Amino acid sequence: MLPALRPAPGRRAAAAGTARPRPRPSVRRGRRCARPAPSFPPRCSRHGRAGRFADPGKEERGRRLPWAIRGGRGAGRRAGRRQEGERGGGEAAAARLRARQGRPKGARGLRGRRPGAAMASSKPLSRFWEWGRNIVCVGRNYAEHAKEMGSTPPREPLFFLKPSSAYVREGSPILRPYYCTSLHHEVELGVVIGKRAQAVSQEAAMEHVAGYALCLDMTARDTQEECKKKGLPWTLAKGFSSSCPVSDFVPKEKIPDPHKLKIWLKVNGKLRQEGETSSMIFSIPYLISYISEIFTLEEGDLLLTGTPKGVGSVQANDEIEAGISDILSMRFKVAQQTRGS
C-alpha cells in the first residue's frame, strides 16, 4: 500500500478555503527583469539602463544610445539644443540657449565663424588706409618726369615700398622731416587692390582692382640724393610718417578707364603739376602683373603709379591742393617736424 501523498501548500490552502493568488514579479524600478536584456541594441522598448525596466511613459524621451549609434560625440549636445528649442520655440528658446551657454547675441558659432563670413570681407575697402598692408610706389613711370630728374626711362618697372604708417588724411598736416631741407611733392594716381593677386596675367589684372585714390608721394629730395650717392635704400627719403597723403576711395565703376584721366597739383593756388595718365610708360595691368610675380599683392594694398613732370619743393605753412580731373580734390597743409615729436 502506497503512502499518502502530502498535498502542496497551495492545495492545502485551497482545501482550507484560504487560497491567495500567487504574487506577480515586481516591476518596480531597480528590480531585474525576468527577460534577459538583448545584446544589441543595448536598450530596447522594455529595458532601461543596464537591463532594468524603463518607465514606459519615458520610453522615447529617456532612450540614450551610444554615441557611435546616435551619430557622433556631438549628437547629444545637438539633441539638447533641439529639445531646448522645442520647449520655448522661436526667439525665446534661442535666448535661453544663449544665456545657458554664456554667449552674447550675435556671437560666433561653430568653429568661430559667422554664417557667410567667407563670402564678404569684414574690412571696408572704402577705408583701406586703416588696415591695408603695403604701399607699392612705382618710380619714373612718366618719361618727362624721368627726364627732369636727369634719368633715362626704365626698361622694367622701378618700384619701392612705403610703410602703412606713411598714410595721412585731410585734416592732418604733411610733416617735413627734421632731417630734410628740401621736401618735394609728387602727385600720383593710386590703385587699390580688392582681391589677392599672385602671379596674375595682364588680361586678368584689372579683376583684382577695387578702385582708385589720389595720392602724394612726398619725398625728402636732399636725403634721396645722398642715399643714391652712397648706394643706400631710399627709405629715409620716402618712408617717413605722413609721406603718403591719400584722398577718399573711388570705386572702380566710377572710373571706366584709368588711363584717360588728368591729375594735377597746386601749391598756394599756383599750378605745379599736370599730366595725363595715358602718358604712363607701364600700364596699370602691366604693373600689377609684373609686381605680383615678385610678391603677392593683398586686399587693401595701394599701388602708386608714378608722377608726371613738375615736381618741386614745399615749405612749412604751404598749402597743397591736388585732384583727379573733375572727380575729386584734396587739400593739405605742410608743417615742420621737430626731432622727437
Side-chain angles (χ1 to χ4, degrees), residues 112-124:
R113 296 184 180 180
R114 289 187 297 269
M119 299 299 294
S121 174
S122 60
K123 300 176 182 179

Side-chain angles (χ1 to χ4, degrees), residues 59-132:
E59 178 180 347
E60 295 300 324
R61 294 178 309 202
R63 180 183 296 182
R64 302 288 292 169
L65 298 182
W67 66 267
I69 302 173
R70 294 198 305 270
R73 293 185 181 272
R77 292 190 293 273
R78 291 194 294 270
R81 288 195 288 269
R82 286 196 297 269
Q83 290 176 2
E84 179 70 19
E86 290 170 1
R87 292 193 196 104
E91 184 62 27
R96 288 197 301 270
L97 180 59
R98 286 194 298 268
R100 186 178 64 191
Q101 294 176 339
R103 297 179 182 177
K105 185 176 182 180
R108 293 187 179 186
L110 189 61
R111 296 181 182 176
R113 296 184 180 180
R114 289 187 297 269
M119 299 299 294
S121 174
S122 60
K123 300 176 182 179
L125 283 167
S126 60
R127 302 185 68 83
F128 65 90
W129 56 84
E130 293 181 349
W131 54 273

Side-chain angles (χ1 to χ4, degrees), residues 152-208:
T152 57
R155 294 183 178 180
E156 295 290 341
L158 167 67
F159 64 91
F160 54 92
L161 301 176
K162 288 179 182 276
S164 58
S165 59
Y167 281 125
V168 65
R169 294 276 295 152
E170 277 190 278
S172 298
I174 298 171
L175 298 177
R176 186 173 73 172
Y178 65 88
Y179 52 81
C180 169
T181 59
S182 179
L183 180 64
H184 279 207
H185 57 75
E186 298 183 11
V187 64
E188 308 193 15
L189 176 67
V191 179
V192 181
I193 303 299
K195 185 171 62 173
R196 193 170 190 264
Q198 183 177 22
V200 300
S201 64
Q202 293 188 53
E203 293 75 18
M206 295 306 290
E207 297 175 8
H208 297 261

Side-chain angles (χ1 to χ4, degrees), residues 85-331:
E86 290 170 1
R87 292 193 196 104
E91 184 62 27
R96 288 197 301 270
L97 180 59
R98 286 194 298 268
R100 186 178 64 191
Q101 294 176 339
R103 297 179 182 177
K105 185 176 182 180
R108 293 187 179 186
L110 189 61
R111 296 181 182 176
R113 296 184 180 180
R114 289 187 297 269
M119 299 299 294
S121 174
S122 60
K123 300 176 182 179
L125 283 167
S126 60
R127 302 185 68 83
F128 65 90
W129 56 84
E130 293 181 349
W131 54 273
R133 296 182 181 179
N134 301 310
I135 304 174
V136 187
C137 307
V138 178
R140 304 175 193 169
N141 199 25
Y142 287 76
E144 293 297 323
H145 171 61
K147 187 182 297 184
E148 74 176 349
M149 298 303 296
S151 303
T152 57
R155 294 183 178 180
E156 295 290 341
L158 167 67
F159 64 91
F160 54 92
L161 301 176
K162 288 179 182 276
S164 58
S165 59
Y167 281 125
V168 65
R169 294 276 295 152
E170 277 190 278
S172 298
I174 298 171
L175 298 177
R176 186 173 73 172
Y178 65 88
Y179 52 81
C180 169
T181 59
S182 179
L183 180 64
H184 279 207
H185 57 75
E186 298 183 11
V187 64
E188 308 193 15
L189 176 67
V191 179
V192 181
I193 303 299
K195 185 171 62 173
R196 193 170 190 264
Q198 183 177 22
V200 300
S201 64
Q202 293 188 53
E203 293 75 18
M206 295 306 290
E207 297 175 8
H208 297 261
V209 175
Y212 306 92
L214 184 65
C215 310
L216 302 182
D217 174 18
M218 302 303 296
T219 305
R221 192 68 70 193
D222 54 338
T223 305
Q224 184 184 35
E225 294 301 326
E226 291 179 11
C227 292
K228 286 181 179 179
K229 290 177 184 178
K230 297 177 181 179
L232 300 175
W234 298 356
T235 306
L236 281 174
K238 295 284 192 177
F240 56 89
S241 295
S242 76
S243 63
C244 186
V246 292
S247 71
D248 291 337
F249 173 78
V250 182
K252 181 168 64 174
E253 294 74 22
K254 292 188 177 181
I255 300 181
D257 189 351
H259 301 97
K260 294 182 179 180
L261 298 173
K262 180 184 289 185
I263 55 177
W264 54 269
L265 181 142
K266 296 178 182 180
V267 177
N268 298 328
K270 294 182 180 180
L271 186 66
R272 291 276 191 94
Q273 285 185 273
E274 187 175 32
E276 301 284 344
T277 55
S278 58
S279 300
M280 291 181 186
I281 298 174
F282 304 107
S283 68
I284 292 172
Y286 184 88
L287 291 173
I288 293 175
S289 177
Y290 181 88
I291 294 171
S292 69
E293 288 184 346
I294 300 172
F295 63 88
T296 302
L297 293 170
E298 301 287 353
E299 180 186 10
D301 285 356
L302 179 67
L303 172 63
L304 273 61
T305 56
T307 189
K309 67 176 182 177
V311 301
S313 64
V314 291
Q315 307 298 322
N317 299 319
D318 282 350
E319 183 179 70
I320 299 175
E321 182 183 5
I324 303 176
S325 301
D326 56 351
I327 297 174
L328 61 80
S329 63
M330 61 183 186
R331 292 174 182 267

